[in-house]
Amino acid sequence: MTTELRRLRNYIDGEFQDAADGRTTEVVNPVTGEAYATAPLSGAADVDAAMAAAEAAFPAWRDVVPAERQKLLLKIADAFEERAEELIAAESENTGKPLGLTRTEEIPPMVDQIRFFAGAARMLEGRSAGEYMEGLTSFIRREPIGVCAQVAPWNYPMMMGVWKFAPALAAGNTVVLKPSDTTPASTVLMAEIIGGVLADLGHPKGVFNVVCGDRDTGRRMVEHPVPAMVSITGSVRAGMQVAESASKDIKRVHLELGGKAPVVVFEDTDMAKAVEDISTAGFFNAGQDCTAATRVLVHESIHDEFVAALAKAAAEIKTGAPDDEDVLYGPLNNANQLAQVSGFIDRLPAHAKVETGGQRVGDKGYFYAPTVVSGLKQDDEIIQNEVFGPVITVQSFTDEEQAISYANGVEYALASSVWTKDHARAMRLSKALEFGCVWINTHIPLVAEMPHGGFKKSGYGKDLSAYGFDDYTRVKHVMTSLDG
């Protein structure tokens, strides 16, 4: 007896639609490794239709006053709260995330972030008008960019979707959003909710569109002539391809491309607190977080003690099914990711030591044990490249200078943290660390009011905050003669 797979559909111009050519791809639940749904494998015709809908809706949406855009976003936030359990169920089926943690750690921030950008819609500020040349007054207009093509990742399908559509809509842009091919379910549900609010308020149907598909679908979106901006959260390789493609017609590009966060632990830290917080920040969401505390640098005087304590804490962390209230994290997202994480451990050099973990858990789904690896050198593969799994590496350093050198000695530059009771040292490190965020005696908290985004190969542009809002606007200088 076979179970009929649920059919997910694109959302284009206010209507749910199959791919024009009828092609689909199976969507797999990472807890079981079995398919539970099909989603459109969208081609050129589907991308064309979504872009046409967004382009047609843009003039009217651009001219909606900020207070009305705020109203839309506030109603979307309310609707997300009202339908939270549906969103949680869809996200958990997408990703295998624990239901309880999705309820407490994702829904409230998402709703708060939408409400923040609802307020930002009414804060389109520019420099004050003035006479910078005799007889002429200059002022600044902040305007929406146009149609935004947005590609969300599979590690946080809902939340990253919010980070993309909320500032874009708040600024007066229209959106075509593509979820990952492995996690479309919650995005399709968000489209249903957002589309309902747009209809209730009488706004154009094409303001928000969702196109499901694979990398080729995303490539077609990036190459399409309509979007004025492309935003992607993904791998460095994907970001490079997007930037290269977008350069051909000078699209604006917004890239968040992963990280390799250094966690610098000095000898005067509160070790018990550091171990507890770092293990949680490293293994939360199975380490599938661009800011995860995955690369720990510990002063040599406390290295051995710290490694033992971290390994003990990791061994006590549990992974398992979404309805198990005792688990910190669920499975890796897909079979390819399981293979990638396993490969890093399989290829460890002889001088490395697996302190705990290092193996798959169970015989179905994509679960991986919390893993701590010590004895590593700065040029080791697992230090230089993003694992994106429940693996924390530990290195030893001798002094502040070496700690900074090790921390900065990777191609990523998204997030970092410093653990010390010495305020002056913390300030020196916060200046020296070349990362978009530096936490002090904590790791991973984010707030809507502060920017998230990195340097180097972690990309450019900011999510969240007024800076993230500004990225979805363009600046126009207007000058008028005072002579009439």
Side-chain angles (χ1 to χ4, degrees):
M1 180 177 179
T2 58
T3 302
E4 185 175 351
L5 301 182
R6 188 163 77 252
R7 184 176 65 165
L8 304 174
R9 307 173 80 187
N10 292 331
Y11 187 76
I12 299 174
D13 203 20
E15 302 290 339
F16 283 103
Q17 305 175 17
D18 295 322
D21 61 7
R23 291 192 304 157
T24 63
T25 182
E26 289 190 341
V27 185
V28 173
N29 185 327
V31 173
T32 64
E34 298 175 353
Y36 70 91
T38 63
L41 188 55
S42 299
D46 308 296
V47 173
D48 285 346
M51 293 300 174
E55 185 177 35
F58 175 65
W61 181 243
R62 173 196 60 203
D63 294 340
V64 167
V65 296
E68 289 300 313
R69 295 203 292 268
Q70 179 188 47
K71 183 186 295 185
L72 172 83
L73 287 163
L74 290 175
K75 285 187 175 293
I76 291 172
D78 291 345
F80 276 25
E81 278 190 325
E82 291 166 6
R83 299 183 65 176
E85 292 305 312
E86 294 175 70
L87 289 166
I88 292 164
E91 187 75 344
S92 183
E93 200 166 30
N94 264 337
T95 63
K97 293 179 183 181
L99 294 167
L101 287 174
T102 305
R103 183 175 294 110
T104 59
E105 302 300 318
E106 295 202 35
I107 295 294
M110 287 166 47
V111 170
D112 179 67
Q113 290 152 8
I114 296 170
R115 289 174 176 152
F116 171 82
F117 284 114
R122 301 181 73 167
M123 293 295 290
L124 282 164
E125 294 185 337
R127 294 181 179 178
S128 62
E131 289 69 52
Y132 303 97
M133 183 178 290
E134 187 174 346
L136 298 164
T137 295
S138 290
F139 64 93
I140 296 295
R141 289 182 57 90
R142 279 277 186 184
E143 299 178 340
I145 298 169
V147 176
C148 297
Q150 302 180 317
V151 180
W154 48 252
N155 58 332
Y156 290 99
M158 285 195 307
M159 188 175 291
M160 296 301 97
V162 166
W163 286 19
K164 294 191 182 302
F165 80 70
L169 296 185
N173 303 287
T174 54
V175 166
V176 178
L177 174 64
K178 190 191 92 66
S180 168
D181 56 340
T182 67
T183 56
S186 55
T187 307
V188 170
L189 179 56
M190 289 197 299
E192 177 189 324
I193 296 170
I194 294 168
V197 176
L198 281 166
D200 288 346
L201 296 178
H203 294 303
K205 296 177 180 180
V207 167
F208 181 80
N209 307 271
V210 168
V211 175
C212 301
D214 59 7
R215 291 179 180 175
D216 285 340
T217 310
R219 177 178 53 79
R220 288 188 176 96
M221 287 175 57
V222 174
E223 294 176 351
H224 202 278
V226 164
M229 178 176 178
V230 175
S231 172
I232 178 174
T233 300
S235 67
V236 172
R237 182 185 65 179
M240 289 178 172
Q241 292 171 346
V242 166
E244 180 180 4
S245 176
S247 70
K248 295 175 183 177
D249 52 3
I250 321 297
K251 290 184 177 75
R252 187 180 295 195
V253 179
H254 185 282
L255 304 175
E256 201 272 77
L257 307 179
K260 192 69 180 174
V263 180
V264 186
V265 182
F266 287 93
E267 66 277 10
D268 62 342
T269 193
D270 181 336
M271 186 179 295
K273 181 181 186 302
V275 166
E276 179 182 3
D277 290 0
I278 290 167
S279 60
T280 300
F283 296 124
F284 186 82
N285 200 33
Q288 298 171 127
D289 190 312
C290 300
T291 62
T294 57
R295 186 166 59 104
V296 179
L297 310 172
V298 185
H299 190 269
E300 60 183 3
S301 65
I302 62 167
H303 174 270
D304 293 350
E305 182 183 2
F306 189 92
V307 168
L310 183 62
K312 181 177 184 295
E316 294 172 354
I317 287 174
K318 185 178 177 183
T319 179
D323 58 354
D324 187 338
E325 296 181 358
D326 294 329
V327 305
L328 176 66
Y329 66 88
L332 295 168
N333 181 257
N334 54 74
N336 288 339
Q337 191 60 24
L338 176 62
Q340 174 168 306
V341 174
S342 299
F344 272 102
I345 301 303
D346 293 343
R347 295 189 301 272
L348 283 173
H351 54 261
K353 179 182 178 184
V354 178
E355 300 284 348
T356 188
Q359 74 281 334
R360 182 179 181 178
V361 176
D363 57 1
K364 68 176 183 177
Y366 311 126
F367 296 93
Y368 202 85
T371 301
V372 175
V373 183
S374 65
L376 293 159
K377 299 178 181 179
Q378 182 66 15
D379 59 355
D380 287 336
E381 176 197 29
I382 201 169
I383 295 297
Q384 291 297 318
N385 297 327
E386 187 174 34
V387 178
F388 221 58
V391 178
I392 296 178
T393 63
V394 186
Q395 296 168 264
S396 174
F397 68 83
T398 58
D399 56 26
E400 193 174 306
E401 182 180 2
Q402 188 178 57
I404 294 169
S405 175
Y406 282 178
N408 289 338
V410 295
E411 293 183 330
Y412 298 91
L414 182 60
S416 59
S417 62
V418 181
W419 299 76
T420 181
K421 295 176 182 177
D422 185 331
H423 177 73
R425 173 190 281 159
M427 292 298 97
R428 290 194 299 272
L429 267 290
S430 68
K431 177 183 177 182
L433 290 173
E434 298 174 354
F435 296 83
C437 175
V438 181
W439 287 291
I440 299 173
N441 295 324
T442 188
H443 193 107
I444 226 166
L446 295 170
V447 292
E449 294 84 354
M450 289 292 114
H452 172 82
F455 314 134
K456 294 160 59 173
K457 287 190 176 179
S458 287
Y460 45 81
K462 298 297 182 183
D463 290 307
L464 304 177
S465 79
Y467 299 98
F469 180 64
D470 285 349
D471 279 354
Y472 285 92
T473 68
R474 65 185 187 185
V475 175
K476 179 186 289 183
H477 168 220
V478 180
M479 179 181 279
T480 180
S481 170
L482 297 180
D483 292 336

